[in-house]
Amino acid sequence: MKKVLVTGGGGFLGSHLCQRLINDGHTVFCLDNFITGSEANIEHLADDGRFHLLKQDVIDKIYMEVDEIYNLACPASPPHYQADPVRTIKTSFLGALNMLELAKQVKGKIFHASTSEVYGDPDVHPQPESYWGHVNPIGIRACYDEGKRGAETLCFDFHRQYGVKIKVGRIFNTYGPNMDPHDGRVVSNFIVQALSGQALTVYGNGGQTRSFCYCDDLIEAFVRMMNSPDDITGPFNLGNPEEFTILELAERIRGILGSNCSIVFKPLPQDDPRQRRPDISLASEHLGWRPQVRLEEGLKMTIEYFDRLLSKQGGNI
Ligand SMILES: NC(=O)c1ccc[n+]([C@@H]2O[C@H](COP(=O)([O-])OP(=O)(O)OC[C@H]3O[C@@H](n4cnc5c(N)ncnc54)[C@H](O)[C@@H]3O)[C@@H](O)[C@H]2O)c1
């Protein structure tokens, strides 16, 4: 059994990862400053003797004896990462630097949570890992996109220069329970709006595409990647290659809920990608991994979560 550090462990994906690692019998150190995460996501783990919470910023250096590090700390939704862009790029770059330094010191392995945003608004579709991307380096999304690109550069330089064992996963849109209802991601926005009887907000004409991966599928990929042989570094695209337009997603959610709530259209934000779909051939070949949860099934589990949250909070999210 291993000692595992999860940065951003109080967030949406981090909380599922902590749970999975505890289930697998490991000791877990969850580091989070809760800027976007929530203690409610991990409170059920607090009584487990193998779970340790460190309320700390990943921008600050840390030393601890661990075998593995999953570096997830970073605000992930545009409203959150654009609220304090300087802090976002610092978190992405300095956080990765600190965790790579730690991995080097303890001779441990590090999984770094990168993103499909490294491809920017892609000219190549679907996006293979060999595509270098189309990112506006000075736009309002750059604090995140370029922060993540710089962090990937650091990972590969630590690997080449110091032999640090790295695993870089480029995560595509993922959804599921524990998402923050207010962080402006499309799946949680639509579900919360539909459950509260509001109109669904679509940016642009809704013809832009995304592919949506259920959180359990993604966490399985993280763990498989961490357990893969040392010469497997990635970057690997991790996501669900089924592609839907935003309007199709709205229709699915309305269909599951039997809701006829209306749709309001708002202007598309700057640099919003027109299309997104991962080519997951490398992850499939090297990790034997493919997402298993269909959109309909994943949406139902996510809707149940938000429905419970809504009832707990007396109808207000
Ligand atoms: N969910 C997705 O669809 C998606 C897609 C691409 C990439 N990712 C990446 O996966 C990771 C997790 O994303 P998520 O969806 O769980 O987002 P999230 O916002 O729910 O989780 C991020 C966590 O990091 C913490 N954090 C942020 N800055 C920190 C700092 N300076 N020090 C310590 N903790 C800090 C937050 O409090 C939060 O708990 C992020 O790195 C994100 O970029 C997620």
Side-chain angles (χ1 to χ4, degrees):
M1 292 302 116
K2 295 173 195 140
K3 286 187 189 158
V4 188
L5 172 62
V6 179
T7 77
F12 158 49
L13 294 175
S15 57
H16 289 284
L17 178 61
C18 289
Q19 178 71 69
R20 165 67 190 263
L21 295 169
I22 289 285
N23 292 349
D24 289 350
H26 302 300
T27 296
V28 174
F29 298 90
C30 163
L31 182 155
D32 206 298
N33 67 357
F34 293 105
I35 193 160
T36 58
S38 160
E39 284 194 57
N41 289 340
I42 45 168
E43 65 190 359
H44 61 289
L45 295 174
D47 293 335
D48 193 307
R50 288 164 303 147
F51 181 77
H52 308 276
L53 178 59
L54 311 167
K55 287 189 191 168
Q56 198 166 324
D57 201 302
V58 77
I59 293 175
D60 300 326
K61 281 193 177 301
I62 185 171
Y63 180 83
M64 56 195 302
E65 294 288 342
V66 286
D67 304 299
E68 294 177 348
I69 303 164
Y70 288 86
N71 184 36
L72 273 62
C74 188
S77 73
H80 279 153
Y81 69 64
Q82 287 163 7
D84 189 344
V86 172
R87 191 188 178 104
T88 299
I89 196 162
K90 278 173 76 179
T91 296
S92 189
F93 189 82
L94 295 177
L97 180 63
N98 286 338
M99 290 307 128
L100 285 158
E101 291 283 6
L102 178 60
K104 177 176 164 238
Q105 282 173 301
V106 300
K107 297 189 172 37
K109 267 194 276 187
I110 177 165
F111 171 93
H112 176 68
S114 189
T115 170
S116 57
E117 301 290 337
V118 298
Y119 300 121
D121 186 5
D123 294 320
V124 172
H125 192 71
Q127 295 81 54
E129 291 83 348
S130 54
Y131 176 53
W132 290 354
H134 180 224
V135 174
N136 173 1
I138 56 168
I140 57 171
R141 299 173 76 103
C143 58
Y144 183 74
D145 302 2
E146 296 291 11
K148 290 284 187 180
R149 287 169 69 97
E152 282 200 11
T153 307
L154 272 178
C155 288
F156 280 87
D157 283 336
F158 266 75
H159 176 66
R160 283 185 289 256
Q161 199 170 334
Y162 305 120
V164 170
K165 294 168 196 151
I166 58 159
K167 313 279 176 189
V168 175
R170 290 181 177 161
I171 304 165
F172 283 65
N173 279 21
T174 302
Y175 69 99
N178 295 2
M179 290 179 91
D180 174 351
H182 301 295
D183 76 0
R185 289 189 241 197
V186 64
V187 174
S188 47
N189 266 4
F190 282 173
I191 293 178
V192 170
Q193 287 170 332
L195 284 172
S196 1
Q198 299 166 33
L200 309 190
T201 313
V202 168
Y203 295 95
N205 64 10
Q208 68 272 39
T209 66
R210 295 291 184 273
S211 36
F212 302 102
C213 186
Y214 188 65
C215 50
D216 291 356
D217 279 333
L218 191 79
I219 299 302
E220 178 64 29
F222 286 9
V223 171
R224 285 189 189 209
M225 203 167 173
M226 185 62 103
N227 293 337
S228 63
D230 289 350
D231 62 333
I232 302 273
T233 58
F236 286 167
N237 288 336
L238 305 177
N240 192 321
E242 270 195 276
E243 188 178 3
F244 299 89
T245 67
I246 294 299
L247 273 182
E248 281 168 341
L249 175 71
E251 279 313 325
R252 293 286 178 109
I253 291 173
R254 287 205 302 194
I256 294 170
L257 285 168
S259 154
N260 58 1
C261 57
S262 55
I263 293 179
V264 287
F265 293 89
K266 292 201 175 163
L268 206 57
Q270 188 195 329
D271 297 336
D272 199 57
R274 287 154 297 162
Q275 48 188 13
R276 255 312 145 58
R277 178 170 140 214
D279 174 336
I280 59 164
S281 320
L282 285 181
S284 300
E285 183 189 334
H286 294 283
L287 309 176
W289 172 82
R290 281 199 81 78
Q292 303 295 319
V293 180
R294 304 299 308 271
L295 183 66
E296 198 87 356
E297 203 188 325
L299 285 177
K300 283 183 185 158
M301 293 188 271
T302 313
I303 288 171
E304 275 167 28
Y305 166 79
F306 280 112
D307 200 25
R308 278 198 306 276
L309 196 65
L310 204 67
S311 321
K312 234 200 270 178
Q313 302 184 359
N316 296 312
I317 289 191

